[in-house]
Amino acid sequence: MADITEKHVDSHVAEHDDNDRSLDKNNVVATKVLIGDETFNQAMLKEPPNPRNLIAIQLYLISMVGFCCSTSNGFDSSLFGNLLSQDKFKEFFSVSNVGIGAGIVSSMTQIGGVAALPFIGPAIDTFGRKVGMFIGATIIIMGVIIQGTVINTNNTGQFMGGRFFMGMGVSIIASAGPCYVVEISHPAYRGIVTGFYNVFWYVSINVIIFI
């Protein structure tokens, strides 16, 4: 009798487990994972951005700060290339268009840029893009002051030192600027806004023409 009761209980428990498993199967919901461009397209369909609202215009204006990083790079590169063709400049620093002297004077910016490479990552990643742009701009201003006071000292070494610091600052600011523009731009217009960053390199040439 006890064996019959145990078998009845076991069969009842087994039947109850089968019913629970059937309920679990019925509760399964189909899921779909969206990745890459598919996620972006879904977001664009649900909430299409307005390129003319107040927030978008504010982002465009803030992006101008990053654009100036490109302008500073193009301004220095274009201006110094023309200075080597000026007779007064060559006479003041006792250099010519050819030779080691002209090569060192013109390459100090690139040398400073190479020297700044170990500091670019910590400057723009550890402290952020805005702090990186501030650090680069500060070094550029310091280099400009060193170069500007050469008019009183007539020291070629001081001029090259200023060019060195300018190269360091330009290298940092030219790395932080495009990252900042890309990160604050809306994904729908990121390509266009980033393209304007490169355009502002040529804006510096127009600034030089007016100067």
Side-chain angles (χ1 to χ4, degrees):
M1 185 68 179
D3 295 339
I4 296 174
T5 304
E6 291 177 359
K7 290 181 181 179
H8 177 72
V9 172
D10 292 339
S11 62
H12 179 71
V13 172
E15 182 180 356
H16 181 70
D17 292 339
D18 293 338
N19 291 333
D20 289 342
R21 282 194 292 270
S22 64
L23 290 175
D24 293 340
K25 292 179 180 179
N26 293 331
N27 289 332
V28 174
V29 179
T31 59
K32 183 178 180 181
V33 179
L34 300 177
I35 58 175
D37 294 336
E38 191 175 1
T39 306
F40 173 72
N41 293 332
Q42 291 290 336
M44 289 290 291
L45 291 174
K46 291 181 180 179
E47 297 182 8
N50 184 2
R52 296 179 181 85
N53 62 15
L54 182 61
I55 296 177
I57 295 174
Q58 183 180 3
L59 286 177
Y60 301 151
L61 295 176
I62 295 174
S63 298
M64 294 289 293
V65 178
F67 296 162
C68 291
C69 297
S70 180
T71 304
S72 64
N73 187 11
F75 182 86
D76 180 72
S77 302
S78 302
L79 180 62
F80 193 79
N82 294 326
L83 286 178
L84 285 176
S85 62
Q86 301 293 326
D87 294 333
K88 291 184 178 180
F89 178 83
K90 291 184 291 185
E91 180 181 355
F92 186 84
F93 291 105
S94 300
V95 296
S96 61
N97 289 333
V98 295
I100 297 176
I104 293 176
V105 170
S106 60
S107 64
M108 284 306 296
T109 303
Q110 287 73 25
I111 295 174
V114 173
L117 291 178
F119 308 102
I120 293 176
I124 68 176
D125 290 335
T126 304
F127 304 108
R129 317 304 188 196
K130 290 187 289 186
V131 176
M133 289 189 292
F134 178 80
I135 293 173
T138 303
I139 297 175
I140 290 175
I141 293 172
M142 183 173 61
V144 171
I145 293 174
I146 294 174
Q147 290 183 87
T149 55
V150 172
I151 191 69
N152 297 322
T153 62
N154 195 16
N155 190 327
T156 305
Q158 180 181 343
F159 179 77
M160 289 192 294
R163 297 290 300 168
F164 178 84
F165 283 109
M166 282 199 66
M168 291 186 66
V170 167
S171 183
I172 296 174
I173 204 172
S175 300
C179 295
Y180 181 72
V181 172
V182 168
E183 291 171 356
I184 69 172
S185 300
H186 192 282
Y189 316 109
R190 185 168 292 163
I192 298 175
V193 176
T194 306
F196 275 107
Y197 176 88
N198 296 323
V199 171
F200 267 70
W201 195 95
Y202 299 97
V203 171
S204 62
I205 299 177
N206 295 325
V207 175
I208 294 172
I209 291 173
F210 285 108
I211 292 177

